[in-house]
Amino acid sequence: MLTAQQYKDLGNQAFKENKFEEAAKFYSQAIEQNPNDHILYSNRSGSYASLSKYQEALTDADKCISINPNFAKGYQRKGLALHYLGEFEKAIEAYQQGLAKDPSNSLLQEGLKAAQTELQGTQNNPFASALKNPNIIKLLGILQKDPRTSAFASDPTFMQLIGLMISQPQMASQFMQTDPRISTALSVILENPEAQAIFFSEFAGKVKKPDGEKKDHPQQQSSQMEEEHPQPEQEQHHHTHAEQHHHAHTEQPQQKQHHQPPPKPQPQLEEWEVQKNLGNDEYKNKNFDKALQYYNAALELNKEEALLYNNKAAVFIEQKLYDQALEAIEEGLKVLEVHSSFQKKAKLLARKAKVFSLQNKIDEAIQIYEKSLVEDHVQSVKDELKKLQKMKQDLEAQNYINPQLGEEANTRGGDAFKAGKFPEAIQCYSDAIKRNPKEPKYYCNRATAYMKLMEFPNAVSDLEKCLSLDSKYVKAYVKKANCHFVMKEFHKAKTVYEKGLELEPNNVEMQQGLEKVRFSILQGSGSEEEQQQRAKRAMQDPEIQQILREPEVINLLNDMKDHPQDGLKAIKQNPSLAAKIEKLIEAGVLKTG
């Protein structure tokens, strides 16, 4: 049977992994074991709040405070729950009570400030009542669970915008253009049937529900040419108008749609822009010679536009004329010495780095990409830089490989090991591994040196690598099992010994090691404190965590509390379940007797 502390640890782990339903269940099981632990109610309150179950979160927060009135975090939990229930005055009172216990608590201070801001908003703004609507709270809960909107769904300013949109839908288009969070939220809402139903019901027929499939929002569309080739100015104006049309169609009330003003006329392009756009079209169609003719024509009309040289360089790159591409880029950079622009310089430098990378000048390309990022932080450039840095690292590692020199380094490591110079031995074995990373004995040798320095986790890592290269390397099984035994991970030591004996059944060292492990498991090796520490470490083991999360194991452990005989019968009838329970006993998580 698991203790309250063990259930709590499982709940904490689940909470860290954003598995809030699971965390709440584990905290509930811990509360059954220890109903007077205020921290358990506080933790479960946090889980419920993360699930948007604010009434349950409030109930647990009150229980936490009733058990320990001096626990400041309980008031923070209560204030948060009241805040999201729209009870701002009560939330302020809860935060103030908490600050009386812990005046320097930053969470309480921030919560109090947010609640006061909300209260002032309800007093000064006609749309504040929308934020108390249970449907809106539920809608925000849905947004909070979606990874695209979870980061800002709990932001009070975002809540106010949602409330204002519902009270004054005619302003929706304005908000979507000024705050991209609204566009993202609407995308999430329209993909979720429940959220969609709430949204349109709150608009009370003021907005026409879109028919057919939802089209991507214009701001979400991306163009490869934006990175590799500038978009024509005419196209950019077209996109802006498309956004306005989309917003008007989606958010404006039906009865006002026919009053929309006609679209503004497109601005007249200069002749050089016309030539550039014609070049862009030919570039997209891979007519590179024609594209170059148009770009040259544009430059005859406007030699001060640096990105025209960038476009020429793009053509030369496609034609594999790298030297000419570099010449065009340098001309563009000279223009920017007079007509400075960080963004344009960053684009030209990124193009230059691209040329260097295609010429296999990796160091030069990395240097230029770094300069580009100094001018303007562009994610695509950052990604290209990372790729080149990884390529350089791989090339250096590949060039360093030399099996003969690796064996020499291994010999030096052996000499240092015999002399008791274990750190020096590790350095030599590490060099041997770099020289020949596919030789398993080098990892085993370095693991042995780590064991001498009592660095058992590093030793285990090396031995696992050794066995991945050679699954029949018996010495590695022996050493790995010994490491687990010393770390009191008896369940792991037992498994490793058993695997090793499958390869070499008569290996005396492994036979004796396995007997020693079995004895330690039966005796519960160590003091009570040591056994608790061993169980705590085992709870961090992913294998043990997985077993404890399986429904059949959870049900069995619950049954064992009230009906131990039925539980034993279930174990006997289910070999798979029996093996899992045995693993928990071996790990020290469960005790017998």
Side-chain angles (χ1 to χ4, degrees):
M1 184 188 304
L2 298 185
T3 64
Q5 181 62 43
Q6 289 170 330
Y7 278 125
K8 177 185 173 184
D9 290 341
L10 286 171
N12 292 344
Q13 184 64 33
F15 193 94
K16 289 178 184 177
E17 297 172 1
N18 294 329
K19 299 176 180 177
F20 304 119
E21 286 278 8
E22 197 171 293
K25 290 179 182 178
F26 282 127
Y27 291 137
S28 297
Q29 290 171 309
I31 288 170
E32 288 182 15
Q33 300 281 345
N34 186 3
N36 296 317
D37 187 341
H38 62 284
I39 293 178
L40 295 176
Y41 291 98
S42 173
N43 290 1
R44 191 170 68 175
S45 175
S47 299
Y48 283 143
S50 298
L51 293 166
S52 302
K53 297 180 178 180
Y54 300 115
Q55 190 58 56
E56 291 90 336
L58 177 61
T59 300
D60 271 358
D62 282 332
K63 182 64 175 179
C64 170
I65 294 170
S66 70
I67 296 174
N68 186 350
N70 294 318
F71 186 58
K73 194 166 187 176
Y75 297 95
Q76 187 262 331
R77 298 288 195 200
K78 182 176 181 178
L80 181 70
L82 287 167
H83 185 125
Y84 281 104
L85 289 170
E87 301 288 346
F88 302 124
E89 292 181 353
K90 293 182 180 179
I92 290 171
E93 182 181 355
Y95 286 129
Q96 289 173 337
Q97 289 174 341
L99 286 169
K101 308 293 182 183
D102 185 2
S104 62
N105 190 299
S106 60
L107 289 175
L108 288 167
Q109 292 170 351
E110 293 170 6
L112 175 61
K113 185 177 179 181
Q116 289 172 334
T117 300
E118 289 292 341
L119 180 61
Q120 185 177 3
T122 62
Q123 295 169 344
N124 298 335
N125 294 286
F127 61 84
S129 60
L131 300 179
K132 292 186 178 183
N133 187 325
N135 275 344
I136 305 308
I137 296 297
K138 191 171 186 179
L139 188 66
L140 288 169
I142 293 171
L143 294 176
Q144 192 175 40
K145 293 177 184 178
D146 192 286
R148 291 169 290 176
T149 51
S150 60
F152 49 78
S154 57
D155 186 340
T157 62
F158 177 80
M159 292 173 64
Q160 288 183 342
L161 286 175
I162 292 290
L164 185 54
M165 282 182 60
I166 290 173
S167 62
Q168 302 183 41
Q170 67 274 13
M171 298 183 67
S173 177
Q174 176 184 342
F175 290 142
M176 290 179 69
Q177 294 183 50
T178 58
D179 194 327
R181 297 179 302 176
I182 300 299
S183 298
T184 305
L186 286 175
S187 296
V188 172
I189 289 169
L190 295 175
E191 291 172 7
N192 184 304
E194 182 183 9
Q196 189 179 117
I198 294 174
F199 183 74
F200 287 111
S201 69
E202 291 300 329
F203 269 76
K206 297 175 185 177
V207 176
K208 181 179 178 181
K209 188 172 181 178
D211 297 323
E213 294 185 3
K214 181 177 68 68
K215 297 182 180 179
D216 291 337
H217 191 279
Q219 291 180 341
Q220 295 174 332
Q221 297 175 358
S222 61
S223 171
Q224 181 65 25
M225 294 298 289
E226 183 62 30
E227 296 178 6
E228 294 297 330
H229 211 58
Q231 284 282 3
E233 292 295 325
Q234 185 175 356
E235 292 182 15
Q236 292 175 359
H237 289 300
H238 173 72
H239 288 327
T240 302
H241 171 60
E243 288 178 9
Q244 293 172 350
H245 178 75
H246 175 83
H247 296 153
H249 174 74
T250 304
E251 301 295 4
Q252 294 295 336
Q254 287 183 14
Q255 61 269 29
K256 292 186 179 182
Q257 286 189 2
H258 60 279
H259 295 304
Q260 291 294 324
K264 294 181 181 180
Q266 296 293 338
Q268 185 68 36
L269 296 178
E270 296 184 31
E271 181 58 29
W272 74 268
E273 293 177 292
V274 173
Q275 296 295 322
K276 180 194 72 172
N277 291 346
L278 290 171
N280 288 346
D281 292 338
E282 297 296 344
Y283 181 94
K284 292 175 185 176
N285 293 326
K286 300 189 180 299
N287 297 323
F288 300 122
D289 288 335
K290 289 185 178 180
L292 191 59
Q293 290 175 8
Y294 284 121
Y295 292 142
N296 284 329
L299 279 168
E300 288 295 324
L301 298 167
N302 183 5
K303 295 183 181 296
E304 306 305 319
E305 177 48 63
L307 291 184
L308 289 174
Y309 298 97
N310 200 40
N311 289 9
K312 283 184 63 176
V315 172
F316 289 134
I317 289 173
E318 293 291 342
Q319 295 175 326
K320 302 189 186 307
L321 301 174
Y322 301 133
D323 290 339
Q324 290 176 250
L326 290 173
E327 290 175 6
I329 291 168
E330 290 302 325
E331 289 184 71
L333 290 172
K334 286 180 182 178
V335 170
L336 291 177
E337 291 176 3
V338 180
H339 305 280
S340 179
S341 168
F342 296 128
Q343 290 82 3
K344 292 180 180 180
K345 187 175 182 180
K347 288 183 177 182
L348 282 160
L349 288 172
R351 186 84 71 192
K352 184 176 181 179
K354 179 70 173 178
V355 175
F356 281 143
S357 68
L358 291 170
Q359 293 177 319
N360 289 322
K361 298 178 180 179
I362 305 302
D363 289 335
E364 291 93 332
I366 289 174
Q367 184 180 9
I368 300 301
Y369 271 134
E370 289 172 344
K371 287 183 179 180
S372 175
L373 288 170
V374 170
E375 299 296 332
D376 189 17
H377 189 84
V378 178
Q379 186 59 45
S380 60
V381 175
K382 187 176 181 181
D383 293 340
E384 288 298 321
L385 174 60
K386 285 183 178 179
K387 288 179 184 177
L388 282 186
Q389 289 172 332
K390 178 66 166 58
M391 183 188 299
K392 179 183 178 181
Q393 183 180 356
D394 292 344
L395 285 172
E396 289 175 347
Q398 188 66 32
N399 293 333
Y400 197 73
I401 291 176
N402 187 317
Q404 182 178 348
L405 294 178
E407 191 59 34
E408 292 177 7
N410 181 61
T411 300
R412 292 196 302 273
D415 293 339
F417 185 91
K418 292 174 185 176
K421 300 176 181 179
F422 304 120
E424 183 180 333
I426 289 172
Q427 290 181 353
C428 293
Y429 292 137
S430 296
D431 189 49
I433 289 170
K434 290 178 182 178
R435 293 292 186 182
N436 189 2
K438 295 184 179 180
E439 176 52 61
K441 71 178 180 181
Y442 298 160
Y443 296 95
C444 188
N445 290 348
R446 188 170 68 175
T448 306
Y450 277 132
M451 291 170 70
K452 289 293 185 179
L453 295 174
M454 309 293 285
E455 296 182 21
F456 297 109
N458 287 335
V460 169
S461 178
D462 269 356
L463 292 165
E464 287 175 348
K465 180 62 177 179
C466 172
L467 290 170
S468 72
L469 294 170
D470 183 359
S471 60
K472 296 182 180 180
Y473 204 107
V474 175
K475 285 185 179 180
Y477 286 103
V478 175
K479 294 179 186 294
K480 186 171 186 289
N482 287 339
C483 288
H484 289 308
F485 183 84
V486 172
M487 292 190 289
K488 298 188 182 302
E489 295 174 343
F490 300 138
H491 61 299
K492 292 184 178 181
K494 179 173 176 289
T495 300
V496 175
Y497 277 133
E498 289 172 344
K499 287 183 179 179
L501 285 169
E502 289 176 5
L503 295 173
E504 209 172 278
N506 297 321
N507 187 298
V508 176
E509 186 176 4
M510 284 195 285
Q511 290 175 344
Q512 292 176 346
L514 182 58
E515 288 301 317
K516 186 167 63 172
V517 169
R518 287 172 174 166
F519 180 79
S520 297
I521 291 171
L522 290 173
Q523 294 297 314
S525 180
S527 64
E528 184 66 26
E529 183 179 353
E530 288 175 332
Q531 292 182 45
Q532 290 178 359
Q533 289 297 321
R534 181 163 72 92
K536 188 173 183 179
R537 284 196 301 272
M539 294 286 284
Q540 304 302 316
D541 183 348
E543 181 185 9
I544 299 300
Q545 290 178 359
Q546 181 60 40
I547 291 174
L548 290 171
R549 289 175 179 172
E550 293 185 13
E552 63 175 357
V553 175
I554 294 173
N555 292 335
L556 175 67
L557 295 177
N558 289 332
D559 290 343
M560 292 287 285
K561 290 188 296 185
D562 302 320
H563 309 286
Q565 294 301 322
D566 292 342
L568 292 173
K569 184 178 179 181
I571 293 173
K572 291 179 180 179
Q573 294 176 345
N574 189 335
S576 173
L577 180 59
K580 292 171 185 175
I581 297 301
E582 183 181 2
K583 180 71 72 174
L584 295 179
I585 294 171
E586 292 169 356
V589 175
L590 294 181
K591 293 183 180 180
T592 57

